[in-house]
Amino acid sequence: MARDGRKKVRRRGRRNKNGIASWSLGKKIGLTLGGTFLAVALLGVVIVASKMNKLNTEKLNTEKLNISDEVKHDEGYTNVALFGLDSRENDLGKGNRSDTIMIASLNNETKEIKIVSVYRDTLLQLDDGSYNKANAAYSYGGAEGAVSMINRNMDLNIEKYVTVNFNALVDVIDAVGGLDIDLTDDEVVHMNNYCVETSKVTGKDYERIEPEVAGTYHLNGVQAVSYARIRYTEGGDFKRAQRQRLVLKKIADKAQNMSVGTVNKIIDSVFPQISTNFTLTEMISYAKDLTKYSFEDSIGFPSENTTDLLNKVGSVVIPKTLSSNLMEVHQFLFGNDGYEVSGTVQDIENGIADKASERAQDGTTIEDDETPGSAGYSANGTAGNSTAGTTEVMSRNYESGTTTSGTTRSYGGGTASSGGTTTSGTTTSGGTTTSGTTSSGTTTSGTTSSGTTSGEISGSAGGSSESGAGETGGTTEETE
């Protein structure tokens, strides 16, 4: 049989696609984007891990954090204590009062974050059983003592904390490109004044806002931090806490869109100015969900309060009552979780009432713990004669540029004369007052009754004058 000499041609059929090749275009794009995001995330992890040695870490003894056994704590939340210190030389430990105290509560399911500002002057119980301003807890016991104070007085279960100083906040705000903030006329004036000292401490520049009128301004780090420090406007410390929450929210909004380069820049400058007990693993875990977080709302604590001047303590915010204010806080943070005030809080509430009865006596000189440029100072003023209420008078002397400034403050009714020598200064009286008689010799403040009025003085207040007429330049009001 003859063999068929024709070559057999093998026809190829279509091969079945397997693996990535079989995926749809949309799925391929998704993989590419997912891979890109993963690479960026991994790069961020590497950056953070490589620079962990720059971070100040301090473990807290959970047995000393006073987490109440009487209160049922919902495990669906992560609660963190945030402290802002007016510290120098990156000192983030004991000896520094916390000008900012906040509680950040993260709902782990919804990723919603709520903030509670604890007013720094709130009268609360410290670790040693004494009653003092809330901001004294950090000074006496560091982060551990401050977290313990919050848990004991507020029936919370905080174990994590983050502490920063003003320098760090300035760097972060500059790194995210500044913040747009609406300012009132008064806020512009006071912010300009605070900027003098904030710039001096941080070594960062700013541009003075002129004319000093209300408006929306793009603030750099020095300006935004100075804005957050304003205390002597209507609303006092309560309004300041509100400003701080606003600044924090605006930073958080911008942080969600930060590039890896910006993150790297922030880590380099900010890590050495932060103290925390978050581990690398925990930071990475929270960082990966950064874009999912939403800043929901914020409140101040205690919202129902009175203010007074207490012997050896000074100006305080007194909860009325602690129990009712805590019911509001727990409702705000955790909803209807069945919270009932603990026996510990009830005892503290009674202690606050007893301490609040120790009002400062007439003629008492009390230290002020908030002079820009110092963590605390002794007042060298002498309390004047008071015909009603309580008087607190103090004289502050420190430099603002080339001008020496001084301040005398009087609370309550009565007549008070200052005891310091100034070139230029501000007299603030806790009542309706005339600003006093200005001369090159002696100046005496007016008689107070009620309300608040400020007046500018020149020359000497109860002492000799460095300059007969004195200077009245705008920068001398750096007596905030």
mmCIF file of all heavy atoms in Angstrom, residues 292-327:
data_model
loop_
_atom_site.group_PDB
_atom_site.id
_atom_site.type_symbol
_atom_site.label_atom_id
_atom_site.label_comp_id
_atom_site.label_asym_id
_atom_site.label_seq_id
_atom_site.Cartn_x
_atom_site.Cartn_y
_atom_site.Cartn_z
ATOM 1 N N LYS A 292 -10.514 55.753 56.112
ATOM 2 C CA LYS A 292 -11.861 55.342 56.497
ATOM 3 C C LYS A 292 -12.386 56.102 57.710
ATOM 4 O O LYS A 292 -13.572 56.074 57.997
ATOM 5 C CB LYS A 292 -11.886 53.834 56.806
ATOM 6 C CG LYS A 292 -11.504 52.946 55.630
ATOM 7 C CD LYS A 292 -11.518 51.474 56.043
ATOM 8 C CE LYS A 292 -11.084 50.567 54.891
ATOM 9 N NZ LYS A 292 -11.057 49.136 55.314
ATOM 10 N N TYR A 293 -11.485 56.772 58.418
ATOM 11 C CA TYR A 293 -11.893 57.461 59.638
ATOM 12 C C TYR A 293 -12.688 58.722 59.311
ATOM 13 O O TYR A 293 -12.430 59.406 58.334
ATOM 14 C CB TYR A 293 -10.675 57.854 60.484
ATOM 15 C CG TYR A 293 -9.853 56.684 60.959
ATOM 16 C CD1 TYR A 293 -8.465 56.793 61.072
ATOM 17 C CD2 TYR A 293 -10.439 55.466 61.290
ATOM 18 C CE1 TYR A 293 -7.694 55.720 61.502
ATOM 19 C CE2 TYR A 293 -9.681 54.397 61.724
ATOM 20 C CZ TYR A 293 -8.307 54.523 61.825
ATOM 21 O OH TYR A 293 -7.555 53.473 62.257
ATOM 22 N N SER A 294 -13.643 59.029 60.175
ATOM 23 C CA SER A 294 -14.397 60.278 60.031
ATOM 24 C C SER A 294 -14.463 60.961 61.393
ATOM 25 O O SER A 294 -14.747 60.330 62.410
ATOM 26 C CB SER A 294 -15.813 60.012 59.517
ATOM 27 O OG SER A 294 -16.534 59.191 60.415
ATOM 28 N N PHE A 295 -14.171 62.239 61.392
ATOM 29 C CA PHE A 295 -14.197 63.049 62.614
ATOM 30 C C PHE A 295 -15.630 63.534 62.797
ATOM 31 O O PHE A 295 -16.078 64.439 62.102
ATOM 32 C CB PHE A 295 -13.235 64.224 62.458
ATOM 33 C CG PHE A 295 -12.877 64.897 63.745
ATOM 34 C CD1 PHE A 295 -11.592 64.823 64.247
ATOM 35 C CD2 PHE A 295 -13.818 65.614 64.454
ATOM 36 C CE1 PHE A 295 -11.243 65.460 65.433
ATOM 37 C CE2 PHE A 295 -13.501 66.251 65.639
ATOM 38 C CZ PHE A 295 -12.209 66.180 66.135
ATOM 39 N N GLU A 296 -16.344 62.952 63.755
ATOM 40 C CA GLU A 296 -17.776 63.192 63.847
ATOM 41 C C GLU A 296 -18.154 64.440 64.636
ATOM 42 O O GLU A 296 -18.816 65.328 64.132
ATOM 43 C CB GLU A 296 -18.467 61.963 64.462
ATOM 44 C CG GLU A 296 -18.501 60.765 63.537
ATOM 45 C CD GLU A 296 -19.216 61.051 62.227
ATOM 46 O OE1 GLU A 296 -20.389 61.468 62.255
ATOM 47 O OE2 GLU A 296 -18.585 60.898 61.170
ATOM 48 N N ASP A 297 -17.759 64.507 65.889
ATOM 49 C CA ASP A 297 -18.246 65.608 66.717
ATOM 50 C C ASP A 297 -17.333 65.767 67.929
ATOM 51 O O ASP A 297 -16.468 64.929 68.184
ATOM 52 C CB ASP A 297 -19.678 65.311 67.177
ATOM 53 C CG ASP A 297 -20.442 66.574 67.551
ATOM 54 O OD1 ASP A 297 -19.830 67.665 67.512
ATOM 55 O OD2 ASP A 297 -21.628 66.463 67.887
ATOM 56 N N SER A 298 -17.547 66.841 68.681
ATOM 57 C CA SER A 298 -16.728 67.078 69.867
ATOM 58 C C SER A 298 -17.522 67.884 70.886
ATOM 59 O O SER A 298 -18.424 68.643 70.529
ATOM 60 C CB SER A 298 -15.441 67.824 69.503
ATOM 61 O OG SER A 298 -15.736 69.094 68.959
ATOM 62 N N ILE A 299 -17.184 67.699 72.157
ATOM 63 C CA ILE A 299 -17.810 68.468 73.236
ATOM 64 C C ILE A 299 -16.745 68.821 74.271
ATOM 65 O O ILE A 299 -15.638 68.280 74.247
ATOM 66 C CB ILE A 299 -18.954 67.698 73.931
ATOM 67 C CG1 ILE A 299 -18.417 66.422 74.599
ATOM 68 C CG2 ILE A 299 -20.068 67.389 72.967
ATOM 69 C CD1 ILE A 299 -19.445 65.720 75.478
ATOM 70 N N GLY A 300 -17.089 69.714 75.179
ATOM 71 C CA GLY A 300 -16.195 70.069 76.274
ATOM 72 C C GLY A 300 -16.699 69.495 77.583
ATOM 73 O O GLY A 300 -17.913 69.304 77.771
ATOM 74 N N PHE A 301 -15.783 69.199 78.486
ATOM 75 C CA PHE A 301 -16.127 68.660 79.804
ATOM 76 C C PHE A 301 -15.445 69.489 80.882
ATOM 77 O O PHE A 301 -14.249 69.767 80.779
ATOM 78 C CB PHE A 301 -15.686 67.198 79.906
ATOM 79 C CG PHE A 301 -15.745 66.665 81.317
ATOM 80 C CD1 PHE A 301 -16.922 66.133 81.832
ATOM 81 C CD2 PHE A 301 -14.617 66.696 82.148
ATOM 82 C CE1 PHE A 301 -16.972 65.656 83.135
ATOM 83 C CE2 PHE A 301 -14.669 66.224 83.450
ATOM 84 C CZ PHE A 301 -15.847 65.696 83.942
ATOM 85 N N PRO A 302 -16.191 69.867 81.939
ATOM 86 C CA PRO A 302 -17.639 69.675 82.148
ATOM 87 C C PRO A 302 -18.438 70.784 81.481
ATOM 88 O O PRO A 302 -18.093 71.960 81.603
ATOM 89 C CB PRO A 302 -17.771 69.743 83.674
ATOM 90 C CG PRO A 302 -16.673 70.674 84.096
ATOM 91 C CD PRO A 302 -15.538 70.447 83.140
ATOM 92 N N SER A 303 -19.501 70.429 80.794
ATOM 93 C CA SER A 303 -20.295 71.444 80.086
ATOM 94 C C SER A 303 -21.159 72.232 81.065
ATOM 95 O O SER A 303 -21.426 73.412 80.847
ATOM 96 C CB SER A 303 -21.173 70.783 79.026
ATOM 97 O OG SER A 303 -22.110 69.892 79.614
ATOM 98 N N GLU A 304 -21.613 71.573 82.139
ATOM 99 C CA GLU A 304 -22.362 72.260 83.192
ATOM 100 C C GLU A 304 -21.397 72.548 84.323
ATOM 101 O O GLU A 304 -20.904 71.624 84.982
ATOM 102 C CB GLU A 304 -23.526 71.392 83.680
ATOM 103 C CG GLU A 304 -24.595 71.147 82.634
ATOM 104 C CD GLU A 304 -25.349 72.422 82.284
ATOM 105 O OE1 GLU A 304 -25.515 73.267 83.194
ATOM 106 O OE2 GLU A 304 -25.760 72.577 81.124
ATOM 107 N N ASN A 305 -21.108 73.834 84.551
ATOM 108 C CA ASN A 305 -20.055 74.153 85.506
ATOM 109 C C ASN A 305 -20.232 75.534 86.108
ATOM 110 O O ASN A 305 -21.043 76.335 85.645
ATOM 111 C CB ASN A 305 -18.692 74.071 84.808
ATOM 112 C CG ASN A 305 -18.577 75.080 83.683
ATOM 113 O OD1 ASN A 305 -18.440 76.292 83.893
ATOM 114 N ND2 ASN A 305 -18.645 74.588 82.445
ATOM 115 N N THR A 306 -19.437 75.783 87.130
ATOM 116 C CA THR A 306 -19.281 77.121 87.673
ATOM 117 C C THR A 306 -17.782 77.381 87.762
ATOM 118 O O THR A 306 -16.973 76.457 87.630
ATOM 119 C CB THR A 306 -19.892 77.247 89.090
ATOM 120 O OG1 THR A 306 -19.246 76.299 89.966
ATOM 121 C CG2 THR A 306 -21.377 76.973 89.057
ATOM 122 N N THR A 307 -17.402 78.616 87.962
ATOM 123 C CA THR A 307 -15.982 78.943 88.122
ATOM 124 C C THR A 307 -15.783 79.688 89.426
ATOM 125 O O THR A 307 -16.685 80.376 89.906
ATOM 126 C CB THR A 307 -15.470 79.808 86.954
ATOM 127 O OG1 THR A 307 -16.236 81.013 86.891
ATOM 128 C CG2 THR A 307 -15.579 79.065 85.635
ATOM 129 N N ASP A 308 -14.601 79.521 90.009
ATOM 130 C CA ASP A 308 -14.318 80.196 91.265
ATOM 131 C C ASP A 308 -12.811 80.289 91.443
ATOM 132 O O ASP A 308 -12.036 79.744 90.636
ATOM 133 C CB ASP A 308 -14.937 79.434 92.442
ATOM 134 C CG ASP A 308 -15.305 80.359 93.605
ATOM 135 O OD1 ASP A 308 -14.717 81.470 93.696
ATOM 136 O OD2 ASP A 308 -16.165 79.982 94.410
ATOM 137 N N LEU A 309 -12.412 80.964 92.503
ATOM 138 C CA LEU A 309 -11.000 81.127 92.842
ATOM 139 C C LEU A 309 -10.781 80.479 94.205
ATOM 140 O O LEU A 309 -11.342 80.922 95.204
ATOM 141 C CB LEU A 309 -10.653 82.609 92.894
ATOM 142 C CG LEU A 309 -9.175 82.973 92.998
ATOM 143 C CD1 LEU A 309 -8.432 82.574 91.737
ATOM 144 C CD2 LEU A 309 -9.024 84.469 93.233
ATOM 145 N N LEU A 310 -9.989 79.397 94.240
ATOM 146 C CA LEU A 310 -9.800 78.637 95.464
ATOM 147 C C LEU A 310 -8.423 78.878 96.067
ATOM 148 O O LEU A 310 -7.439 79.091 95.348
ATOM 149 C CB LEU A 310 -9.979 77.135 95.203
ATOM 150 C CG LEU A 310 -11.304 76.696 94.592
ATOM 151 C CD1 LEU A 310 -11.367 75.180 94.527
ATOM 152 C CD2 LEU A 310 -12.487 77.252 95.388
ATOM 153 N N ASN A 311 -8.365 78.795 97.365
ATOM 154 C CA ASN A 311 -7.124 78.982 98.096
ATOM 155 C C ASN A 311 -6.099 77.921 97.689
ATOM 156 O O ASN A 311 -6.403 76.734 97.637
ATOM 157 C CB ASN A 311 -7.400 78.891 99.607
ATOM 158 C CG ASN A 311 -6.205 79.282 100.435
ATOM 159 O OD1 ASN A 311 -5.437 80.160 100.053
ATOM 160 N ND2 ASN A 311 -6.038 78.634 101.571
ATOM 161 N N LYS A 312 -4.889 78.345 97.350
ATOM 162 C CA LYS A 312 -3.762 77.489 96.969
ATOM 163 C C LYS A 312 -3.937 76.771 95.638
ATOM 164 O O LYS A 312 -3.061 76.042 95.205
ATOM 165 C CB LYS A 312 -3.471 76.440 98.058
ATOM 166 C CG LYS A 312 -3.056 77.024 99.394
ATOM 167 C CD LYS A 312 -2.745 75.921 100.390
ATOM 168 C CE LYS A 312 -2.325 76.497 101.744
ATOM 169 N NZ LYS A 312 -2.011 75.445 102.722
ATOM 170 N N VAL A 313 -5.079 76.934 94.984
ATOM 171 C CA VAL A 313 -5.328 76.276 93.697
ATOM 172 C C VAL A 313 -5.461 77.295 92.576
ATOM 173 O O VAL A 313 -4.911 77.124 91.494
ATOM 174 C CB VAL A 313 -6.588 75.387 93.753
ATOM 175 C CG1 VAL A 313 -6.856 74.751 92.387
ATOM 176 C CG2 VAL A 313 -6.427 74.299 94.811
ATOM 177 N N GLY A 314 -6.182 78.385 92.840
ATOM 178 C CA GLY A 314 -6.370 79.409 91.824
ATOM 179 C C GLY A 314 -7.709 79.302 91.141
ATOM 180 O O GLY A 314 -8.671 78.743 91.678
ATOM 181 N N SER A 315 -7.785 79.812 89.929
ATOM 182 C CA SER A 315 -9.026 79.808 89.163
ATOM 183 C C SER A 315 -9.349 78.394 88.713
ATOM 184 O O SER A 315 -8.520 77.733 88.083
ATOM 185 C CB SER A 315 -8.895 80.719 87.946
ATOM 186 O OG SER A 315 -8.561 82.032 88.335
ATOM 187 N N VAL A 316 -10.557 77.915 89.021
ATOM 188 C CA VAL A 316 -10.937 76.547 88.682
ATOM 189 C C VAL A 316 -12.300 76.505 88.008
ATOM 190 O O VAL A 316 -13.108 77.417 88.145
ATOM 191 C CB VAL A 316 -10.972 75.639 89.932
ATOM 192 C CG1 VAL A 316 -9.586 75.455 90.515
ATOM 193 C CG2 VAL A 316 -11.939 76.184 90.974
ATOM 194 N N VAL A 317 -12.513 75.415 87.276
ATOM 195 C CA VAL A 317 -13.816 75.090 86.698
ATOM 196 C C VAL A 317 -14.386 73.961 87.549
ATOM 197 O O VAL A 317 -13.752 72.913 87.702
ATOM 198 C CB VAL A 317 -13.681 74.638 85.234
ATOM 199 C CG1 VAL A 317 -15.031 74.188 84.686
ATOM 200 C CG2 VAL A 317 -13.102 75.753 84.382
ATOM 201 N N ILE A 318 -15.566 74.173 88.101
ATOM 202 C CA ILE A 318 -16.149 73.210 89.030
ATOM 203 C C ILE A 318 -17.355 72.519 88.377
ATOM 204 O O ILE A 318 -18.326 73.195 88.012
ATOM 205 C CB ILE A 318 -16.603 73.901 90.332
ATOM 206 C CG1 ILE A 318 -15.422 74.654 90.956
ATOM 207 C CG2 ILE A 318 -17.178 72.892 91.312
ATOM 208 C CD1 ILE A 318 -15.818 75.544 92.123
ATOM 209 N N PRO A 319 -17.307 71.201 88.194
ATOM 210 C CA PRO A 319 -18.449 70.487 87.609
ATOM 211 C C PRO A 319 -19.665 70.609 88.520
ATOM 212 O O PRO A 319 -19.546 70.503 89.732
ATOM 213 C CB PRO A 319 -17.968 69.024 87.548
ATOM 214 C CG PRO A 319 -16.491 69.073 87.712
ATOM 215 C CD PRO A 319 -16.200 70.281 88.557
ATOM 216 N N LYS A 320 -20.815 70.815 87.940
ATOM 217 C CA LYS A 320 -22.037 70.770 88.752
ATOM 218 C C LYS A 320 -23.107 69.988 87.977
ATOM 219 O O LYS A 320 -23.753 70.487 87.066
ATOM 220 C CB LYS A 320 -22.526 72.163 89.120
ATOM 221 C CG LYS A 320 -22.925 73.079 87.986
ATOM 222 C CD LYS A 320 -23.644 74.305 88.501
ATOM 223 C CE LYS A 320 -24.375 74.985 87.372
ATOM 224 N NZ LYS A 320 -25.056 76.196 87.765
ATOM 225 N N THR A 321 -23.256 68.767 88.348
ATOM 226 C CA THR A 321 -22.413 67.974 89.235
ATOM 227 C C THR A 321 -21.513 67.079 88.381
ATOM 228 O O THR A 321 -21.739 66.971 87.163
ATOM 229 C CB THR A 321 -23.276 67.082 90.139
ATOM 230 O OG1 THR A 321 -24.041 66.201 89.289
ATOM 231 C CG2 THR A 321 -24.208 67.896 90.993
ATOM 232 N N LEU A 322 -20.543 66.400 89.023
ATOM 233 C CA LEU A 322 -19.670 65.501 88.269
ATOM 234 C C LEU A 322 -20.490 64.383 87.636
ATOM 235 O O LEU A 322 -20.287 64.024 86.474
ATOM 236 C CB LEU A 322 -18.590 64.929 89.186
ATOM 237 C CG LEU A 322 -17.538 64.026 88.523
ATOM 238 C CD1 LEU A 322 -16.798 64.779 87.430
ATOM 239 C CD2 LEU A 322 -16.566 63.496 89.567
ATOM 240 N N SER A 323 -21.438 63.837 88.382
ATOM 241 C CA SER A 323 -22.257 62.726 87.886
ATOM 242 C C SER A 323 -23.042 63.108 86.637
ATOM 243 O O SER A 323 -23.040 62.381 85.629
ATOM 244 C CB SER A 323 -23.230 62.264 88.974
ATOM 245 O OG SER A 323 -22.543 61.743 90.082
ATOM 246 N N SER A 324 -23.716 64.245 86.674
ATOM 247 C CA SER A 324 -24.532 64.651 85.530
ATOM 248 C C SER A 324 -23.671 64.930 84.307
ATOM 249 O O SER A 324 -24.058 64.607 83.172
ATOM 250 C CB SER A 324 -25.359 65.895 85.889
ATOM 251 O OG SER A 324 -24.509 66.985 86.234
ATOM 252 N N ASN A 325 -22.496 65.502 84.508
ATOM 253 C CA ASN A 325 -21.601 65.762 83.380
ATOM 254 C C ASN A 325 -21.065 64.472 82.777
ATOM 255 O O ASN A 325 -20.891 64.373 81.561
ATOM 256 C CB ASN A 325 -20.443 66.653 83.837
ATOM 257 C CG ASN A 325 -20.788 68.126 83.834
ATOM 258 O OD1 ASN A 325 -20.846 68.766 82.795
ATOM 259 N ND2 ASN A 325 -21.044 68.673 85.021
ATOM 260 N N LEU A 326 -20.809 63.477 83.624
ATOM 261 C CA LEU A 326 -20.308 62.199 83.110
ATOM 262 C C LEU A 326 -21.390 61.434 82.360
ATOM 263 O O LEU A 326 -21.094 60.734 81.380
ATOM 264 C CB LEU A 326 -19.760 61.340 84.252
ATOM 265 C CG LEU A 326 -18.447 61.825 84.865
ATOM 266 C CD1 LEU A 326 -17.967 60.852 85.939
ATOM 267 C CD2 LEU A 326 -17.368 61.984 83.798
ATOM 268 N N MET A 327 -22.628 61.552 82.793
ATOM 269 C CA MET A 327 -23.722 60.929 82.050
ATOM 270 C C MET A 327 -23.762 61.481 80.631
ATOM 271 O O MET A 327 -23.976 60.740 79.665
ATOM 272 C CB MET A 327 -25.054 61.175 82.763
ATOM 273 C CG MET A 327 -25.185 60.484 84.114
ATOM 274 S SD MET A 327 -25.177 58.667 84.009
ATOM 275 C CE MET A 327 -26.723 58.363 83.185
#
